[in-house]
Structures are given as C-alpha cells and as structure tokens.
Amino acid sequence: MSEQPRQHRGPRQKSRTAPSARARKGDVPRTTAHRVLRAVAEDGAYANLELPRALRRARLGGRDAAFTTELTYGTLRMQGFYDAVIAEAAQRPVGRLDGGVLDVLRMGAHQVLGMRVAVHAAADQSVALARSAAGQGAAGLVNAVMRRIGERTREEWLEAVTPTEPLAERLAVSRSHPVWVVKALRQALMGHGIATSDDVDEALDELLAAHNVPAEVSLVARPGLAEVDELLFAGAQPGRWSPVAAEMSGGDPGAIEAVREGRAAVQDEGSQLLALALAAVPVTPRADGAPERWLDLCAGPGGKAGLLAALALQQGADLVANEVSEHRTELVRQTLRPALDAAEAAGRHLEVRSGDGREVGEDEPETYDRVLVDAPCTGLGALRRRPEARWRRQPKDLVGLGPLQRDLLSSAIEATRPGGVIAYATCSPHLSETTFVVRDVVKKRSDVEVIDARELLREVATGELTDLGDGPHAQLWPHRHGTDGMFLALLRKKG
C-alpha cells in the first residue's frame, strides 16, 4: 500500500551508474505507468479506465501488471506529498518543471518512498524514462533530484516538508490532499454528525488515510441473473454489507464468467445498498393495480441501473434508465443487455433512453413510483478508486454542480406520483452537494416529506450499519464502512 513507510537498514544506496551509461529507455511497466499519468494530466483521462487499456496494449500481466498498477495509483494518491519532496530536492517549485519530467520524478519518489524498490534501480529507470521523454538535459536533472530524494527516509522527508500548523496545511501534505478538500471533508464529518469538535481532527486523519489505501474490488450479483454463490465459487469472498455482494482481494474480475456476461459486475457495496434501499421503501399501491414504474434519472454509466433493473424484474416492475449523454446511454445499454433480454422474455418494460433529466418532471408528471437521482457530483467520496479526482476537482466546480443537482431533484419530485419515493444520491459527502441540496429543494415544496434513509439502509444490509449520521439522511464513509462515501436522502411524495 502506498501509505506504508519503507524500512531501511544501513546507508542509502545511491545510483552508481553515470546517466550516459544507463538504459536508453525505461522498462515496460514504468513506461506504461508514465503513459497513463500523462494521459490523466494532459487528456483528462480517468486512471481506472486508462490503466486497464494500457496494460492490455503492453501485454502486462501478473507481477508486472501489479507493479504498474501500484506505481500508477500510488503516484496519483501521494502526488501532493511527492511534489513537496521534489520541490525541496530540486530547489525549485514543481510548476517550473516540464509535466512529463515531473511525472517521472513523482514515479521515482513513489518507488523510493512508497514501494520496496532500491534507490539505484528507481533512479536508473527514472533517468532512462526522462531521457526518452525529454532528452539528455532532463535526464541529468532527474538523476540529481533522485539522488537527493534517496538521501532521506520517508519519515525524514515527512518531517522536512510537512508544516506543523495549521491542521489543513499539515494534512494536505502528510495525507496528500488539496487543502480545500481537507477543509471540506472536516466540515462534512461534523455536518453529517459523524464527529464533534472534540474528535473531528482524529476522524479527519482516519478518513484521509483511508483514501490512500487501495479499495478491494467489490462485485454485485444482479438478482435473478446471477447468484452470489457463483462469485464465491470463482474465488471471491462474501461482501460485508450487501446481500448481493462479493469481494475480490486480487485477480481479474473479467475472468469470472458472470462478470464477462454482464450478469454480475464490479460495483461498490455502498452503491449497492442505495439501490437496494430504494427498492425496499414501501410505496402506496397504484389504484388501477398496474405494475410499478421505476426511473433512474441519471443512469450513466449504468452500475446502479444494472442492479435496479434486476430488482425491478424480480418485483414485477418496469424501469426507464435515462441518461443525458448519448455515449453514456450506449454504456448503460451495454450494461443492461442481460436484463433487457430477460425483460423481453418476461414481457416487462425495460427502456434505456437519452434525455435531459431536468425536463422529465415536466414531460412525465406524476408517472413513476420510484425515482433515483444519482446526481453528478465532485466524486469526493470515491477518492480511493479515483485518486486523480482530488487533484482535478476545484471549489469552483461546486458552483456549476449545485444548480444542476437541485434542478434534477426537483424534476424527479415532479415525475413521482403521490405515494411514490425519490432517492437522491451522490458519491460525495460535501455538504454543498448533499444536505444543502435536499434542504433547499424541500423547503420550497409542500408535497414531499423526508423519510429516514438510515432505517432503510439498515433494513437491507446484512451487517449492523452504524455511524450513518444524525439522520434523517444517511452518509457512508470509507474509514468507517469500507465503502465509497455515498450519501442517500429519501423523500416521499405526499398524496
């Protein structure tokens, strides 16, 4: 794990090979990791999507693939700390370094300070990468900086570059998060009732540390299409919270037949619990006895829609999966293919379509019994899985997301018939994306009531869920539940 300090015995090994005598190119694992980092920085790529493609192109497997994965994700997670180290070692701000060279140095720092790689090996390979990426002059700089980085242990570097006060700046370096994220998460811990002024600093440190520990791979067996036992037989372990979950500590999920066929999928247990809770809320039966109609208002890329579709088929309901982006709509359609086939065979209506979720309430008023608003958000609850998000997101993003989140929730309420329920969910604990959105929408309406989301989550969970907050909304936490930081609010449309 990238957070673990490396133990050293005796003096540090320095690079003993002159730059001109070293390899002309970096090895394939390091070159592959560097290409992924450049795609993330220059093209806005997502590491969790880009890395598997890069591994396949490079034909890396086994230990080489594991090394490349840790090097990529560990470098992204600890970038803030490594930038402070590099700036000190290079005696210049990292903003003055070429982007490709900076990524080489970040990777080198992670190998020396976060992985069990000998200093001379990390330096030699970093120099070779720099030479191929930016020329001999860059190679000389990288050689000098790597030599200085290797002169201190991780603990010594932490002491050297971490400010003692204030708290946010200290944790920003030691736990490698932007200062604004540190402050926002501290407010969220208190705002959701998981910490008080007496213990919030300790809880914050635990949360930030959890973001730097790689998440286990969670799988979902979509009910009626796959069984959990099928995943367990393939080598997975039972999930902690969701009755349809399994967990993999290693290996390729795509090697499991059910996953390849789309009957099961990779999905965080927190996301599973949200879909299960929405499906379990009691609703007023339709007067005409017609089947329930469900709506996933923002369905892309299709994870929650896949589970909702399976649950709808089990409960004899129809489902519409709506997504504004044409490209993401096609991803949803691919994800739901087994459910679409099963729905057609059973004579049920399962539809995947493109459309602006903000307009559904006006176009289809009082139509649906259950509506999920999995709103676009900053993703601050998924930093274990998407470490680049902490560096890519900015406070100004909240300005644009806030009105969209409120409009989508309002549209969902309009689209829900009296007696039906709405689930508002985000993969972020930020107060501006969670409780503030629900509060602002609900206070302007007299036709909705908030119900206790914690009770529903506990009802569907297989274990005893605690630390969900003061209610009535529920907030999951990586450091308490081992899930992504999912938020859930449940509203009932009044009759």
Side-chain angles (χ1 to χ4, degrees):
M1 294 184 293
S2 59
E3 255 311 56
Q4 294 298 316
R6 185 180 164 219
Q7 301 299 320
H8 298 283
R9 295 180 180 178
R12 285 283 200 146
Q13 289 181 289
K14 298 181 181 180
S15 179
R16 297 182 292 266
T17 310
S20 59
R22 293 180 185 146
R24 305 303 298 179
K25 294 182 179 180
D27 63 15
V28 176
R30 290 175 173 86
T31 300
T32 301
H34 188 255
R35 286 172 179 166
V36 173
L37 294 178
R38 295 315 299 148
V40 169
E42 292 185 330
D43 305 328
Y46 294 95
N48 66 320
L49 301 179
E50 186 69 24
L51 180 60
R53 291 195 289 261
L55 293 174
R56 287 193 295 270
R57 286 194 298 266
R59 298 182 179 180
L60 291 174
R63 293 178 63 183
D64 284 343
F67 181 90
T68 306
T69 299
E70 168 56 25
L71 184 54
T72 302
Y73 280 114
T75 299
L76 285 170
R77 288 188 186 100
M78 300 307 297
Q79 176 178 310
F81 169 51
Y82 296 146
D83 281 2
V85 171
I86 292 165
E88 177 72 17
Q91 290 296 294
R92 71 186 72 179
V94 293
R96 290 173 51 190
L97 296 172
D98 172 79
V101 173
L102 178 57
D103 277 338
V104 169
L105 287 170
R106 288 166 173 167
M107 289 170 52
H110 184 56
Q111 291 170 70
V112 172
L113 304 178
M115 300 172 69
R116 295 185 179 276
V117 177
V119 177
H120 69 87
D124 287 354
Q125 288 294 324
S126 297
V127 168
L129 264 178
R131 181 184 292 115
S132 61
Q136 185 60 44
L141 169 67
V142 168
N143 181 55
V145 174
M146 287 299 300
R147 187 170 64 249
R148 294 187 189 111
I149 291 174
E151 291 172 351
R152 301 183 187 181
T153 66
R154 181 189 182 93
E155 293 79 6
E156 289 168 343
W157 275 116
L158 278 169
E159 184 176 356
V161 302
T162 304
T164 55
E165 295 294 341
L167 175 70
E169 280 74 6
R170 174 164 59 85
L171 291 177
V173 174
S174 64
R175 296 303 188 188
S176 193
H177 287 66
V179 172
W180 80 269
V181 172
V182 174
K183 292 179 178 179
L185 291 176
R186 188 178 191 275
Q187 293 172 345
L189 286 164
M190 297 182 67
H192 288 293
I194 197 68
T196 67
S197 57
D198 293 330
D199 60 10
V200 66
D201 293 343
E202 180 181 355
L204 176 61
D205 189 53
E206 292 176 1
L207 174 58
L208 298 176
H211 287 165
N212 292 330
V213 178
E216 300 286 355
V217 177
S218 295
L219 304 175
V220 58
R222 291 169 174 163
L225 302 174
E227 299 292 337
V228 174
D229 286 346
E230 188 174 352
L231 305 179
L232 302 183
F233 183 77
Q237 302 297 318
R240 181 180 180 186
W241 303 114
S242 167
V244 293
E247 192 173 85
M248 293 181 65
S249 57
D252 178 14
I256 300 176
E257 183 179 5
V259 175
R260 289 198 308 272
E261 295 176 351
R263 298 181 293 108
V266 175
Q267 185 177 34
D268 180 74
E269 280 199 77
S271 295
Q272 296 178 39
L273 289 176
L274 266 56
L276 291 167
L278 175 59
V281 182
V283 300
T284 304
R286 288 176 172 263
D288 58 4
E292 288 185 12
R293 299 189 66 185
W294 298 7
L295 170 66
D296 187 345
L297 194 64
C298 315
K304 295 183 185 67
L307 179 51
L308 280 176
L311 294 169
L313 287 171
Q314 275 198 331
Q315 296 180 208
D318 298 330
L319 172 72
V320 173
N322 178 80
E323 168 57 40
V324 66
S325 162
E326 292 280 358
H327 170 67
R328 287 164 65 89
T329 299
E330 185 55 37
L331 293 178
V332 175
R333 189 171 286 111
Q334 294 173 12
T335 299
L336 267 61
R337 179 52 56 194
L340 287 165
D341 293 341
E344 183 178 3
R348 297 252 52 88
H349 180 75
L350 177 54
E351 177 186 358
V352 179
R353 72 185 189 197
S354 292
D356 190 334
R358 294 170 294 184
E359 300 173 356
V360 172
E362 182 178 353
D363 295 341
E364 300 178 275
E366 299 188 354
T367 299
Y368 296 97
D369 300 82
R370 303 175 195 269
V371 179
L372 171 64
V373 186
D374 185 18
C377 67
T378 57
L380 296 183
L383 297 184
R384 300 177 307 160
R385 303 182 192 278
R386 299 173 186 170
E388 71 275 3
R390 72 182 75 177
W391 312 115
R392 183 171 292 166
R393 287 297 190 181
Q394 301 294 330
K396 64 182 180 182
D397 295 334
L398 296 164
V399 177
L401 287 168
L404 174 60
Q405 291 159 349
R406 288 164 174 78
D407 289 345
L408 288 168
L409 179 54
S410 297
S411 176
I413 294 172
E414 293 295 333
T416 305
R417 71 170 183 85
V421 293
I422 305 99
Y424 175 80
T426 64
C427 189
S428 169
H430 198 297
L431 296 177
S432 295
E433 303 186 273
T434 55
T435 57
F436 293 175
V437 171
V438 179
R439 178 200 64 191
D440 291 349
V441 172
V442 169
K443 73 181 181 181
K444 297 178 181 178
R445 309 187 66 105
S446 60
D447 59 345
V448 291
E449 59 181 353
V450 180
I451 57 181
D452 198 328
R454 301 170 304 167
E455 290 184 5
L456 268 299
L457 286 178
R458 290 169 181 149
E459 183 177 308
V460 300
T462 55
E464 185 178 353
L465 269 178
T466 59
D467 296 328
L468 296 175
D470 294 333
H473 313 315
Q475 178 68 55
L476 295 166
W477 298 96
H479 67 301
R480 296 293 175 87
H481 307 106
T483 68
D484 288 345
M486 302 299 302
F487 170 81
L488 175 65
L490 291 173
L491 311 177
R492 186 182 302 280
K493 187 79 168 283
K494 293 181 182 179

